[in-house]
Amino acid sequence: MTRPGPTTSDTATAPPAPAKPLASSGRSRLDVRNLSLLGVLAALIAVGGITKPDQFLDTGNLQLVLTQASVIGVVTVGMTFVITSGGIDLSVGAIVALASVWATTVATQEYGFAGVLFTAVLVGTACGLVNGVLIAYGRLVPFIATLAMLAAARGLALQITEGRTQLVTVDAVLDLGLPDAYVLGIPPLVLVFVVVTVVGWLLLNRTTFGRRTVAVGGNAEAARLAGIDVRRQRLHLYLLSGLCCGIAAFLLIVLSGSGQNTNGNLYELDAIAAAIIGGTLLTGGRGTVVGSVLGVLVFTTITNIFALNNLQSDVQQIAKGAIIVVAVLVQRRTAHDD
């Protein structure tokens, strides 16, 4: 005797297959991207070890790579938040320059270590405040507002220095860059970078502030209807970016022992590129601090390998440009698949 097939009513009442959560899918993509970046970083280390084994794998050189990554890395953490919210900040390099020269004037250095640190952080945060007010309440497009800040900050930095390098004379600041200040062989600048990274990760992934940042980047109007003060959120994000620039300016002062109006040149390119290849969506709504940090390490390692092999800086910029294009194309393909 044959068994009857399913009736129409049985088919209609059958529960649908559970859909895959979007958040889990997004996390999976970021995990795969982070693993890919770790693979790229491992490959670069292998290349450096093969081409210049004695120099690249030297402990001093590896410490230098991490130290250089720390400065742009702190800037990139702030940039990650801004891009996640759907914005952009083209002024980060100029803000670093302005903060570094303002903090190294003779008048500022008279107040010692605290004066240099406080001034660098204050100037960076103040510039971020101006950006935030213009964008959030002045309704200027982030591209235009931060481009104006780029020009103004560079011009003011040049005016303060009159084109001269301002040497640091505060011993407490200079001592942070010496090997005697290293903690278990780790430079203090790297430790600051680690702290900023951890705080940034917690802020983006474990707080209401982070969830609001993602919501604003995903759909600002929907975020507003959900009760989020979008303008205030954007103001806080550019304040955060400016704060990171101020911290980076102080790290750069320690690293170089001086303040120059040329400091932070092309930092905006490096920070945006690192965030993008790390998995932060250029159109907003998705960001990853861990991926951004890996992106910074990839770019810094590339720069170091090129320098050790006496390759010209223009080749480095071409390579970075190509990486940015590939990263954006991959993001568009991923967004299309979603």
Side-chain angles (χ1 to χ4, degrees), residues 172-193:
V173 174
L174 297 174
D175 290 345
L176 284 178
L178 299 178
D180 291 341
Y182 290 6
V183 180
L184 300 176
I186 303 175
L189 276 65
V190 178
L191 296 177
V192 173
F193 177 35

Side-chain angles (χ1 to χ4, degrees), residues 219-242:
N219 190 321
E221 181 60 20
R224 186 187 67 80
L225 295 175
I228 298 176
D229 190 334
V230 175
R231 291 188 297 180
R232 185 172 62 184
Q233 184 70 16
R234 285 175 174 161
L235 173 62
H236 290 167
L237 287 166
Y238 282 95
L239 273 171
L240 178 61
S241 179

Side-chain angles (χ1 to χ4, degrees), residues 82-295:
V82 171
I83 297 179
T84 301
S85 71
I88 198 73
D89 192 346
L90 302 178
S91 63
V92 291
I95 293 176
V96 169
L98 178 60
S100 69
V101 300
W102 208 320
T104 54
T105 59
V106 175
T108 301
Q109 293 192 58
E110 289 179 355
Y111 294 93
F113 181 94
V116 174
L117 174 60
F118 177 76
T119 302
V121 172
L122 179 63
V123 171
T125 306
C127 290
L129 175 63
V130 173
N131 279 336
V133 170
L134 291 176
I135 293 167
Y137 297 96
R139 299 184 182 277
L140 285 183
V141 177
F143 181 90
I144 299 300
T146 57
L147 185 63
M149 176 58 72
L150 182 156
R154 283 288 179 195
L156 184 55
L158 178 60
Q159 186 177 50
I160 292 174
T161 62
E162 296 180 349
R164 296 192 293 266
T165 298
Q166 298 178 163
L167 298 179
V168 177
T169 58
V170 181
D171 292 336
V173 174
L174 297 174
D175 290 345
L176 284 178
L178 299 178
D180 291 341
Y182 290 6
V183 180
L184 300 176
I186 303 175
L189 276 65
V190 178
L191 296 177
V192 173
F193 177 35
V194 170
V195 171
V196 172
T197 299
V198 172
V199 172
W201 185 89
L202 292 173
L203 195 61
L204 184 60
N205 296 280
R206 294 292 185 267
T207 66
T208 303
F209 181 85
R211 290 191 291 272
R212 288 175 177 173
T213 300
V214 175
V216 170
N219 190 321
E221 181 60 20
R224 186 187 67 80
L225 295 175
I228 298 176
D229 190 334
V230 175
R231 291 188 297 180
R232 185 172 62 184
Q233 184 70 16
R234 285 175 174 161
L235 173 62
H236 290 167
L237 287 166
Y238 282 95
L239 273 171
L240 178 61
S241 179
L243 172 62
C244 288
C245 289
I247 296 173
F250 179 76
L251 298 183
L252 189 57
I253 290 171
V254 173
L255 182 61
S256 63
S258 64
Q260 305 176 53
N261 65 285
T262 56
N263 281 344
N265 187 35
L266 294 180
Y267 272 21
E268 53 278 356
L269 169 65
D270 292 340
I272 293 171
I276 292 174
I277 71 170
T280 298
L281 197 61
L282 189 58
T283 54
R286 188 178 75 207
T288 163
V289 173
V290 173
S292 297
V293 169
L294 290 175

Side-chain angles (χ1 to χ4, degrees), residues 27-76:
R27 284 194 296 268
S28 297
R29 286 195 302 271
L30 291 178
D31 290 341
V32 171
R33 186 184 292 270
N34 289 343
L35 289 174
S36 300
L37 285 174
L38 283 174
V40 171
L41 186 59
L44 288 173
I45 293 174
V47 170
I50 293 172
T51 56
K52 294 289 182 179
D54 295 335
Q55 297 176 352
F56 180 79
L57 297 178
D58 181 72
T59 302
N61 182 66
L62 295 178
Q63 290 173 336
L64 176 62
V65 170
L66 292 176
T67 302
Q68 292 175 336
S70 299
V71 180
I72 185 60
V74 171
V75 175
T76 303

